[in-house]
Amino acid sequence: MSEKTCAACDYPLDENAIEVRVGGQTVEVCCEDCATKLREAHASATASQQAAARA
């Protein structure tokens, strides 16, 4: 059986994993820092897509 890993850094997850909702999907991360990084990356990508759509 494969081990679950953090969606941001690939660190092995344990019972303290944090669920984060990004782009309509729930992913698991190892810590609040990784959760913040994913949220910021999603916000940046979404803003870039919206800017491109307006151009």
Side-chain angles (χ1 to χ4, degrees):
M1 188 169 122
S2 67
E3 192 172 348
K4 284 186 168 185
T5 59
C6 175
C9 72
D10 286 334
Y11 189 80
L13 295 175
D14 58 16
E15 66 278 351
N16 298 320
I18 300 168
E19 290 187 350
V20 180
R21 199 133 167 92
V22 178
Q25 294 187 344
T26 302
V27 296
E28 291 182 314
V29 294
C30 62
C31 63
E32 194 58 45
D33 285 341
C34 285
T36 299
K37 288 177 187 176
L38 279 183
R39 289 183 193 115
E40 289 174 355
H42 177 67
S44 176
T46 301
S48 294
Q49 289 174 352
Q50 289 175 351
R54 283 186 245 143

